[in-house]
């Protein structure tokens, strides 16, 4: 399991500058969080790939900026709105392919929308996103997200049943903490479907901490994944508001490399 970092760690720094910082720290892997529609253009995706290639970093995942729209514009009941907005995901999947990324990360619909979203529609629309990804050679994945439908183990199990072998998950440690769900219960349930991981620490100082500042058992997480021959990567996803994120990422990288004996 190789270690990376998300460009979202440096938000609101421009995406290309954030990626350059990730590469300069020496991470082998990176997630790119696109932050505007212009960043989905092919020319911008090629710029990101050039930045990564120059430093020998692999972009493994792309996160669309439009996650806040998904409840009403992708999974909502007004079909014409879906038809208008699906283009964002076609462009996102193409941009991901241009960068060389394997995965596109989807938040999905909020847990309690004003107008209920039937599971059947959600799974059908998500299957459409998966097919868009397949055309570009990328895998569209469901991330577990606090306050979203995917925070629920039971919902994700129903989604797995509906999508079968097309169900793939991005597992985010801090999202289980924020949702009040046992992280290892979630991990064990979906350990065979998890293809990508977002990591952070948590403890008495709060959640979404740089690894080493909390008490999360990273060794236990790695052992569970090693036991199922996990082939994916893990990217640190923390936020820049409360500390010197570049310094913390450097120190977290040393800590995890030593802990995992990479």
């Amino acid at each position: 399991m190789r270690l990376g970092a998300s460009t979202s760690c440096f938000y609101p720094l421009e995406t290309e500058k954030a990626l350059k910082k990730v590469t300069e720290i020496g991470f082998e892997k990176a997630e790119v969080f696109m932050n505007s529609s212009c960043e989905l253009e092919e020319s911008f995706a090629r710029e990101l790939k050039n930045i990564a290639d120059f430093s020998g970093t692999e972009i493994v995942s792309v996160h669309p900026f439009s996650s806040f729209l998904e409840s009403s514009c992708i999974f909502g009941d007004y079909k014409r709105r879906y038809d208008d907005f699906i283009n964002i995901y076609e462009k996102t999947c193409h941009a991901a392919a241009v960068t060389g990324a394997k995965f596109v990360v989807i938040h999905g619909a909020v847990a309690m929308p004003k107008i209920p979203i039937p599971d059947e529609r959600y799974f059908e629309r998500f299957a459409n996103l998966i097919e868009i990804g397949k055309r570009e050679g990328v895998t569209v994945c469901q991330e577990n997200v606090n306050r979203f439908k995917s925070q629920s183990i039971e919902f994700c199990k129903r989604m797995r049943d509906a999508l079968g072998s097309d169900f793939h998950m991005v597992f985010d440690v801090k999202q289980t903490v924020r949702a009040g769900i046992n992280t290892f219960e979630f991990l064990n349930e979906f350990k065979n479907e998890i293809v990508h991981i977002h990591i952070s620490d948590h403890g008495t100082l709060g959640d979404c901490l740089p690894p080493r500042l909390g008490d999360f058992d990273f060794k236990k997480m790695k052992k569970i994944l090693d036991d199922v021959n996990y082939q994916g990567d893990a990217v640190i996803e923390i936020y820049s508001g409360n500390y010197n994120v570049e310094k913390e990422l450097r120190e977290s990288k040393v800590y995890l490399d030593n802990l995992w004996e990479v």
Side-chain angles (χ1 to χ4, degrees):
M1 182 164 58
R2 295 293 177 177
L3 185 63
S6 174
T7 60
S8 64
C9 295
F10 293 97
Y11 183 86
L13 187 67
E14 292 90 341
T15 301
E16 69 278 14
K17 295 177 183 177
L19 178 61
K20 193 167 189 298
K21 283 188 174 290
V22 170
T23 67
E24 289 171 346
I25 292 170
F27 285 106
E28 296 182 56
K29 309 290 182 177
E31 176 182 72
V32 171
F33 200 120
M34 302 298 200
N35 286 304
S36 67
S37 58
C38 68
E39 295 180 5
L40 302 181
E41 298 301 324
E42 183 168 331
S43 58
F44 187 80
R46 292 196 182 281
E47 179 184 352
L48 295 178
K49 180 167 175 55
N50 289 339
I51 291 169
D53 287 350
F54 181 79
S55 298
T57 301
E58 179 188 1
I59 297 173
V60 293
S61 58
V62 166
H63 202 307
F65 73 92
S66 48
S67 55
F68 69 97
L69 296 169
E70 288 167 1
S71 289
S72 61
C73 295
I74 298 299
F75 299 103
D77 57 357
Y78 196 68
K79 177 64 163 49
R80 186 179 293 168
R81 188 184 302 129
Y82 166 85
D83 292 338
D84 284 346
F85 278 85
I86 196 65
N87 174 257
I88 292 174
Y89 293 84
E90 293 169 345
K91 295 183 75 170
T92 298
C93 288
H94 181 66
V98 171
T99 68
K102 302 172 186 174
F103 308 117
V104 170
V105 184
I106 303 297
H107 280 186
V110 296
M112 299 293 291
K114 291 182 179 179
I115 301 175
I117 297 172
D119 283 357
E120 293 76 12
R121 185 200 305 147
Y122 187 100
F123 302 152
E124 178 185 355
R125 298 278 175 85
F126 206 99
N128 292 346
L129 295 176
I130 291 169
E131 290 305 313
I132 290 169
K134 285 181 178 180
R135 294 198 293 268
E136 295 287 352
V138 300
T139 301
V140 175
C141 309
Q142 175 69 68
E143 182 176 18
N144 63 297
V145 184
N146 180 37
R147 298 196 301 270
F148 282 65
K149 287 181 177 293
S150 58
Q151 71 179 351
S152 162
I153 289 176
E154 291 305 314
F155 175 82
C156 290
K157 286 168 68 173
R158 294 195 298 274
M159 187 174 180
R160 180 174 61 189
D161 290 343
L163 298 179
S165 61
D166 282 334
F167 176 75
H168 298 94
M169 175 163 281
V170 174
F171 180 66
D172 191 314
V173 171
K174 68 179 170 296
Q175 299 293 348
T176 57
V177 175
R178 291 176 173 180
I181 294 173
N182 184 286
T183 298
F184 292 108
E185 181 183 355
F186 209 118
L187 180 64
N188 273 299
E189 178 62 45
F190 298 104
K191 60 190 176 184
N192 292 303
E193 290 82 32
I194 293 169
V195 293
H196 187 50
I197 297 174
H198 292 168
I199 58 173
S200 57
D201 214 337
H202 55 273
T204 57
L205 297 176
D207 62 19
C208 199
L209 298 173
R212 79 184 171 79
L213 295 186
D215 52 23
F216 180 64
D217 193 340
F218 288 101
K219 278 191 172 182
K220 181 177 179 180
M221 182 190 77
K222 187 173 186 297
K223 184 180 186 309
I224 291 170
L225 294 167
D226 285 346
D227 286 348
V228 294
N229 194 30
Y230 174 71
Q231 297 297 304
D233 306 298
V235 298
I236 300 171
E237 188 179 64
I238 56 178
Y239 305 126
S240 61
N242 298 323
Y243 34 72
N244 182 332
V245 70
E246 188 168 352
K247 172 181 177 292
E248 295 296 345
L249 285 176
R250 289 184 186 278
E251 295 181 3
S252 293
K253 183 178 186 303
V254 171
Y255 169 76
L256 288 170
D257 283 347
N258 289 334
L259 190 70
W260 289 343
E261 298 178 349
V262 174

